[in-house]
Amino acid sequence: MSDSQDSSYASPPFDHEKADVILRSSDNVDFRVFKLFLSLASPFFETLFDLPQPSEEMSTDVEIKDGLPVIPVSEDGKTLEPLLRFCYPCTLADDPPLDDFRDVINVLEAAKKYSLDAIARTICKSLFLPKILERDSLRCFAIACRARMQDECILAAKYSLREPLIPTWFEEIELITCTELLSLLTYHKKCGDAVQALKADFSWFTAAYPQWTAAPWMVAMESNGNNCACARSTSKRFTPGGYTSAQWWEAFMDSTFLDLRDRPCVETIRENVEKAIQAVRQRNCRYCSAAAPGGMRDFGALFINKAEELIAKVEPDLKF
Ligand SMILES: [Zn+2]
């Protein structure tokens, strides 16, 4: 009635002439929709539309526009549009692309509010994909917490081990509670501690490298038993067969375990392996430049397996 001239119609398919109700977004966009599609998607809408519809004579506070009741909703058009697209059959509307995190949160919250559970699950599936989790694990974590989605929350927490223990600020951090953040940090710290067991008990290593001949470059020797050009450490840490190890090898092990405290994930091991290979190549030891890269990558695979086993045993304490 009075403010209908201020509202505009949404674009197709939400401007259909045969629609039987209008949903008006908080920013005054009118979506002409079919009750049936929304009722089938959500018990919330079913109940809403089952309420006696006002007639023009008896109602003064419900607007009628073009002969259809107008139901105001608190979501803006940008949130309502994708939500309605999900409710409609795919022959009438494609599922919307959701590539902006803010939009995803709003749509997800609206889906929860309107009991659109299947849609909430669809949105989650589109978000919690490896390629998105690898890049934005903490943002995904925040969204999962906000939406109270336990499995997705744990999945995102696992991916977040690739980030430093104290992450840089991200916008969605404001969506999570201090308790949730503390749980995440505790989990991260526990994983960092768990991996250190590989440093304390070296049996996994000596089982795979019982003799120096299994990896002569580790002890700065050539496979014929001659010393190579690399310096040896004076300590006997990280050594196969009781030999003193190459200095660069010991430095690699020390820095990897240190980095694993901050980022307890396989990427940390992989990166340190590649860094060590680069350093060996730069030092121009003729023997190690040829032998160490392959040997280091084999060792890296073993290290990764063992680290993954230990990290997998740590359970995030995240319950809603
Ligand atoms: Zn060497």
Side-chain angles (χ1 to χ4, degrees):
M1 291 189 273
S2 59
D3 59 352
S4 56
Q5 67 269 29
D6 299 332
S7 62
S8 58
Y9 275 124
S11 41
F14 305 116
D15 58 351
H16 204 286
E17 57 175 312
K18 291 190 175 159
D20 48 12
V21 69
I22 293 173
L23 295 186
R24 177 169 294 162
S25 67
S26 61
D27 51 353
N28 276 331
V29 184
D30 286 345
F31 291 78
R32 296 176 65 99
V33 291
F34 292 92
K35 287 179 193 170
L36 178 65
F37 293 148
L38 306 193
S39 297
L40 289 174
S42 150
F44 179 97
F45 283 121
E46 193 177 13
T47 312
L48 180 74
F49 298 143
D50 273 351
L51 295 174
Q53 295 299 314
S55 64
E56 282 187 77
E57 306 87 66
M58 62 179 271
S59 168
T60 50
D61 56 351
V62 174
E63 186 181 333
I64 303 287
K65 182 180 174 183
D66 303 339
L68 301 181
V70 177
I71 301 177
V73 297
S74 55
E75 288 73 28
D76 61 11
K78 214 175 158 206
T79 305
L80 194 56
E81 211 252 357
L83 198 69
L84 295 173
R85 280 189 174 274
F86 276 123
C87 293
Y88 265 48
C90 60
T91 44
L92 290 178
D94 290 333
D95 279 357
L98 289 172
D99 28 33
D100 182 290
F101 270 81
R102 279 275 142 188
D103 294 348
V104 172
I105 293 165
N106 292 336
V107 177
L108 197 57
E109 293 208 321
K112 292 243 155 195
K113 176 177 147 190
Y114 293 117
S115 309
L116 295 162
D117 297 342
I119 292 171
R121 280 195 297 276
T122 304
I123 297 169
C124 290
K125 265 190 217 152
S126 73
L127 188 65
F128 292 87
L129 297 174
K131 67 171 183 172
I132 297 176
L133 285 161
E134 280 167 16
R135 199 185 55 217
D136 285 313
S137 57
L138 291 164
R139 305 176 79 189
C140 290
F141 176 80
I143 291 170
C145 283
R146 180 64 172 256
R148 327 299 287 167
M149 298 184 303
Q150 175 102 5
D151 293 347
E152 285 76 9
C153 205
I154 289 173
L155 182 66
K158 288 182 174 169
Y159 273 90
S160 77
L161 297 173
R162 297 158 184 242
E163 304 298 324
L165 177 60
I166 305 296
T168 47
W169 185 85
F170 56 101
E171 201 183 339
E172 292 78 6
I173 198 167
E174 287 163 7
L175 297 174
I176 58 177
T177 65
C178 298
T179 305
E180 286 157 355
L181 181 62
L182 182 63
S183 296
L184 183 70
L185 295 179
T186 305
Y187 168 66
H188 198 118
K189 170 81 166 50
K190 277 187 187 168
C191 290
D193 291 345
V195 187
Q196 303 300 315
L198 296 176
K199 195 177 180 184
D201 178 355
F202 222 41
S203 53
W204 64 278
F205 175 84
T206 46
Y209 297 88
Q211 297 294 326
W212 68 269
T213 46
W217 45 271
M218 273 185 202
V219 297
M221 281 212 266
E222 300 184 18
S223 34
N224 60 14
N226 293 334
N227 291 350
C228 78
C230 298
R232 280 205 198 140
S233 158
T234 50
S235 85
K236 287 202 172 184
R237 298 183 302 138
F238 315 124
T239 65
Y243 279 72
T244 51
S245 54
Q247 258 177 18
W248 68 263
W249 163 256
E250 195 175 290
F252 154 77
M253 291 294 269
D254 278 330
S255 67
T256 305
F257 278 109
L258 192 65
D259 290 349
L260 281 169
R261 279 204 184 277
D262 195 40
R263 295 173 57 233
C265 60
V266 300
E267 287 69 29
T268 300
I269 299 174
R270 235 174 249 142
E271 286 162 20
N272 273 280
V273 164
E274 292 309 314
K275 237 189 287 171
I277 290 171
Q278 289 305 319
V280 166
R281 286 194 171 126
Q282 275 166 12
R283 256 198 329 277
N284 286 325
C285 169
R286 189 183 45 80
Y287 174 73
C288 290
S289 295
M296 279 297 284
R297 290 193 183 113
D298 288 346
F299 171 73
L302 172 71
F303 199 167
I304 282 170
N305 276 342
K306 297 290 167 186
E308 274 185 323
E309 275 174 26
L310 292 171
I311 292 167
K313 284 184 191 156
V314 183
E315 285 293 325
D317 180 20
L318 293 157
K319 290 194 181 66
F320 300 117

